[in-house]
Amino acid sequence: MKFYIIGERELVLAFKLTGVDGTIAENRNDVLNAFNRITGKGGTANIPTGEVPKVLILTEGAASQIEEEELAWQKTGNFPLIVEIPGLNGHVKGRKMLSDAIKQAVGVEV
């Protein structure tokens, strides 16, 4: 398993059509359970445990529900790498876009 997605039903189903497995998360508890399970911290979500994905895709809506847990995980430097994508309603206001983060970190506009 190289990729895994946690997010809204429609996006998870769309990714499944391309062969990417995922978990539909409708609330914070769903997101946190799936996140903990995929990162090896436990959880009750129905996620294969034998193989850790290299990239965990979170919709911005899902990511906004577990900001502290996501930040703590990113500081460990372990797999999976977390990537946030906009949800069905577009970019969440107040969330930094990837191009903005690159510009701030490197000083180059992408």
Side-chain angles (χ1 to χ4, degrees):
M1 178 182 348
K2 295 182 181 183
F3 298 94
Y4 196 87
I5 182 168
I6 301 171
E8 293 87 11
R9 180 181 185 275
E10 293 81 1
L11 287 173
V12 172
L13 293 176
F15 272 83
K16 282 188 179 189
L17 290 173
T18 66
V20 175
D21 202 7
T23 296
I24 298 169
E26 298 178 354
N27 55 50
R28 174 177 160 68
N29 192 41
D30 292 345
V31 176
L32 190 56
N33 271 331
F35 180 79
N36 285 340
R37 179 76 173 193
I38 207 70
T39 57
K41 297 169 68 178
T44 59
N46 186 20
I47 299 170
T49 56
E51 197 174 337
V52 175
K54 298 296 182 192
V55 178
L56 173 59
I57 303 165
L58 294 174
T59 61
E60 288 180 342
S64 67
Q65 297 180 50
I66 59 164
E67 288 180 359
E68 291 178 17
E69 292 86 351
E70 179 185 357
L71 182 59
W73 178 259
Q74 289 174 331
K75 288 180 179 179
T76 67
N78 294 326
F79 283 112
L81 171 71
I82 299 173
V83 177
E84 293 182 19
I85 62 170
L88 292 175
N89 298 326
H91 184 65
V92 174
K93 190 172 185 173
R95 305 252 338 152
K96 188 183 292 187
M97 292 176 42
L98 180 59
S99 58
D100 295 336
I102 293 171
K103 182 177 179 182
Q104 182 180 8
V106 182
V108 177
E109 190 165 337
V110 183

